[in-house]
Amino acid sequence: MSYVSGLTCRECATEYETAPRSICEECFGPLEVAYDYDRLRRTFGRETVATRARSMWRYRELLPIDGDRILGQEVGYTPLVSAARLAGRLGVDELYVKNDAVNFPTLSFKDRVVSVALTKAREFGMTTVGCASTGNLANSVAAQGVRHGFDTCILVPEDLEAAKILGTTVYGVRLVGVAGDYDQVNRLCSQIADRFGWGFVNVNLRPFYGEGSKTVGFEIAEQLGWKRPAHVVCCMAGGSLLTKIGKGFDELTRLGLIDEGTTRLHGAQPRGCNPIVAAVKDGSGEIRPVKARTIARSLAIGNPADGYYAARAIRRSGGFAEDVTDAELVDGIRLLAETEGIFAETAGGVTVAAARKLIASGRIPRHEPIVLVITGNGLKTTDALVSTAAAHPIIEPRLDAFERVLSDAAVEAALSKASDAPPPGPSLSTSSGRPATAAPPSSGRPLA
């Protein structure tokens, strides 16, 4: 049974029947899926969710599908990791990591949106699907497209990371590199969708595709015991994920599944591609497109489709936004890995590094619960770390050689400890008594 009432323009509120369209014919505003919340309140609750398998489809009444034939039944319900060691390094009381770096099947949050979009494409009778992508989406459309029997065609900027190219072509789909940036690729995909009628998951299927991101918010609330977190920090490319996480919390509140309250949404971007952060910081909310120059290629969208809405969601929630340099994002990757054993891609490094700045500046109070959203796996972007990898000793296969390594390491540790000793002076503390200044660089290794 579907609870979708149709599509609604976010700007002029014109209503449309459910169809593969994404733009309002009246004002060219983006369309969004609308639901019958009165009917949902009578039939959907925590008890219903608890009886279902641990995937994102345990919230299927809040997703835009009509039937029971779901593609990607196993996607979602990724861990919400209590990150005490990282909390200690950042000097906060309570910190969690929503770890979509282990999502199924392609290790990024894009598996959620693709699962919804392909389910909808099948309902619309489409046989060919595709996407414009900066990498993770390409991987997911390729994997899930072939698994569910679609002809699949994917277009990407020509300079993507090798691991993401391999992670797409391995499935045997048609991949086309475009000599241009993501925004040019996206425009070309719109023309192809119009010409051939194919289902491009983030173009003409975009209203349905975006709804998959809400499940990140649903899962965070359920995994916290049906509570809102005080703060969420999320990286931004097009800006859709952050807005949909906010929509997810709002829908759960509207249905009475969580209490009224506020979750402050904080956005993170690399400094080399920061149009949404700039719009938040200057207070205008106006998105000024930029030419992307960053190693965080999955976030390299200079003209973000949902940028205006992401900036508005951040401001309305009372949150803020921060950008970080490429060196800072690499240190963010290392900090998360060294404290929690989670290897995030470059976008995750942006999230961690931005969170560190937001905490240090007081935008995020140290005693309030925080969730960091990690969207993809570090094995996809190892290129960003190769030049900064620490050297390791090579020894003869003898015990005395190994003991010599231990001795050398002890000397190095003692010298490092002496050089890192803070100058005498007053110390800061959090409400829990944890040192507030305990946020050294992740490893002290030189950065590129």
Side-chain angles (χ1 to χ4, degrees), residues 5 12 24 49 87 100 130 168 225 249 307 311 398 410 412 440:
S5 57
C12 69
C24 176
V49 173
D100 263 26
T168 300
F249 292 140
R398 301 193 312 272
E412 286 184 15

Side-chain angles (χ1 to χ4, degrees), residues 183-200:
D183 301 306
Q184 293 170 304
V185 175
N186 197 46
R187 280 194 292 275
L188 176 57
C189 285
S190 296
Q191 295 169 336
I192 295 171
D194 289 341
R195 172 71 65 88
F196 298 104
W198 295 349
F200 277 79

Side-chain angles (χ1 to χ4, degrees), residues 342-389:
I342 295 172
F343 186 15
E345 66 169 353
T346 48
V350 171
T351 298
V352 174
R356 177 186 244 171
K357 287 187 169 183
L358 291 162
I359 293 165
S361 67
R363 293 283 182 179
I364 298 180
R366 296 180 185 274
H367 65 281
E368 296 181 355
I370 308 164
V371 174
L372 308 185
V373 179
I374 299 302
T375 53
N377 196 290
L379 294 175
K380 298 184 180 194
T381 57
T382 53
D383 295 0
L385 296 178
V386 167
S387 64
T388 69

Side-chain angles (χ1 to χ4, degrees), residues 7-16 21-33 203-204 206-207 305-306 308-309 312:
L7 300 177
T8 303
C9 176
R10 289 198 217 178
E11 293 297 327
C12 69
T14 298
E15 297 178 353
Y16 296 87
R21 66 173 78 194
S22 61
I23 301 296
C24 176
E25 296 175 359
E26 300 295 327
C27 70
F28 302 106
L31 302 182
E32 186 165 50
V33 178
V203 180
N204 53 346
R206 189 175 184 83
D306 285 276
Y308 167 78
Y309 300 100
R312 187 174 69 177

Side-chain angles (χ1 to χ4, degrees), residues 199-386:
F200 277 79
V201 302
N202 55 341
V203 180
N204 53 346
L205 294 172
R206 189 175 184 83
F208 315 99
Y209 155 96
E211 292 292 282
S213 293
K214 294 189 309 187
T215 58
V216 175
F218 296 159
E219 291 176 15
I220 290 172
E222 183 185 354
Q223 290 167 325
L224 288 175
W226 293 106
K227 294 179 181 176
R228 284 173 173 269
H231 303 270
V232 167
V233 184
C234 179
C235 60
M236 301 182 294
S240 175
L241 174 59
L242 181 141
T243 63
K244 296 299 183 182
I245 290 174
K247 182 179 180 182
F249 292 140
D250 291 344
E251 286 186 337
L252 295 182
T253 303
R254 192 169 184 173
L255 297 176
L257 274 69
I258 61 176
D259 292 336
E260 296 277 352
T262 300
T263 297
R264 295 186 179 183
L265 303 173
H266 304 273
Q269 288 190 301
R271 187 157 300 165
C273 187
N274 64 351
I276 307 175
V277 172
V280 172
K281 286 189 171 181
D282 69 20
S284 68
E286 180 182 349
I287 302 298
R288 299 179 180 85
V290 302
K291 190 74 174 179
R293 292 185 177 82
T294 173
I295 61 173
R297 294 175 185 165
S298 63
L299 304 182
I301 297 180
N303 189 15
D306 285 276
Y308 167 78
Y309 300 100
R312 187 174 69 177
I314 290 168
R315 294 198 314 274
R316 287 183 173 178
S317 74
F320 200 62
E322 192 55 86
D323 52 16
V324 300
T325 66
D326 284 353
E328 289 169 333
L329 81 82
V330 169
D331 203 48
I333 293 172
R334 292 194 182 283
L335 179 59
L336 181 60
E338 292 172 5
T339 54
E340 301 299 335
I342 295 172
F343 186 15
E345 66 169 353
T346 48
V350 171
T351 298
V352 174
R356 177 186 244 171
K357 287 187 169 183
L358 291 162
I359 293 165
S361 67
R363 293 283 182 179
I364 298 180
R366 296 180 185 274
H367 65 281
E368 296 181 355
I370 308 164
V371 174
L372 308 185
V373 179
I374 299 302
T375 53
N377 196 290
L379 294 175
K380 298 184 180 194
T381 57
T382 53
D383 295 0
L385 296 178
V386 167

Side-chain angles (χ1 to χ4, degrees), residues 407-421:
S407 176
D408 292 346
V411 171
E412 286 184 15
L415 292 173
S416 176
K417 187 175 181 180
S419 64
D420 289 345

Side-chain angles (χ1 to χ4, degrees), residues 75-76 78 99-114 135-141 144 164 216 298 345 374-377 380:
V75 176
T78 55
N99 186 16
D100 263 26
V102 295
N103 210 349
F104 178 86
T106 64
L107 308 179
S108 89
F109 87 100
K110 294 294 188 183
D111 290 326
R112 299 174 184 270
V113 291
V114 170
N136 280 326
L137 185 59
N139 294 172
S140 188
V141 171
Q144 298 194 59
K164 287 181 176 172
V216 175
S298 63
E345 66 169 353
I374 299 302
T375 53
N377 196 290
K380 298 184 180 194

